[in-house]
Amino acid sequence: FSAILADIKTEALQLRHDAEDLKTFTHNSHLTWESHAQKVTEIKDHVNEAGKLLAKLDSARGSASLWQQEAFDHIVPMMKELASSVEATIEHFDQRPGLLRTGPYVEFADANYELASNSAEVISDYVEYGKSKAKSDELAAKLAVPEN
């Protein structure tokens, strides 16, 4: 479970980086629609890969600890919201490829960045919690500290 969660973290961090690039693209008049299309495709690919990894987590849920199940339950809605936002961005882009620095497209790019940033932070926190918990459990076993 923890290894898959770490893979999701990697996707989330790449997604945040690409979403930040796209947000920056909306302020650069020298970039072509092709640059935007490539970046939106990269973002979509990260969302799709994260979705596949979440499906793997879901199948491992039965053997997950309580905190891991809670992490999954927290992350899934965030990623669904991000996927929906990315989908709306793609639809807008497909319908209006000439309007890349105004209106809804800029708002979609901003929203994607915010959602990607929040998701990356939460997922990173869960990964770090898992590492800390594993280390704590290891030390407790080494020291023969009784459980609560």
Side-chain angles (χ1 to χ4, degrees):
F1 196 97
S2 292
I4 300 169
L5 191 58
D7 289 342
I8 294 171
K9 174 187 171 185
T10 299
E11 287 298 324
L13 292 172
Q14 292 172 339
L15 179 56
R16 178 178 64 193
H17 179 267
D18 288 339
E20 183 176 25
D21 285 348
L22 185 65
K23 181 179 175 179
T24 303
F25 284 11
T26 63
H27 303 290
N28 186 336
S29 61
H30 301 295
L31 293 173
T32 64
W33 70 267
E34 289 95 343
S35 299
H36 286 260
Q38 180 180 354
K39 191 55 67 177
V40 169
T41 298
E42 290 172 13
I43 291 169
K44 181 183 83 170
D45 291 346
H46 290 306
V47 169
N48 289 340
E49 185 59 31
K52 291 175 189 174
L53 292 167
L54 285 169
K56 285 183 182 181
L57 276 187
D58 192 29
S59 66
R61 186 182 175 91
S63 62
S65 67
L66 184 58
W67 80 263
Q68 291 169 329
Q69 291 175 15
E70 288 177 10
F72 179 81
D73 292 343
H74 190 182
I75 293 167
V76 168
M78 294 176 74
M79 294 306 290
K80 283 184 177 180
E81 183 178 6
L82 178 56
S84 177
S85 180
V86 169
E87 188 175 309
T89 304
I90 292 168
E91 288 173 11
H92 182 80
F93 180 83
D94 288 345
Q95 294 171 2
R96 296 171 193 90
L99 298 175
L100 302 177
R101 283 174 279 291
T102 61
Y105 184 76
V106 173
E107 293 169 14
F108 285 130
D110 289 346
N112 289 337
Y113 174 69
E114 290 301 318
L115 292 167
S117 293
N118 292 341
S119 298
E121 182 178 349
V122 168
I123 294 165
S124 295
D125 288 347
Y126 277 119
V127 169
E128 290 307 309
Y129 176 82
K131 288 178 184 177
S132 297
K133 178 139 179 44
K135 182 68 175 170
S136 175
D137 292 348
E138 179 185 317
L139 288 172
K142 181 178 176 182
L143 298 171
V145 175
E147 292 188 31
N148 294 340

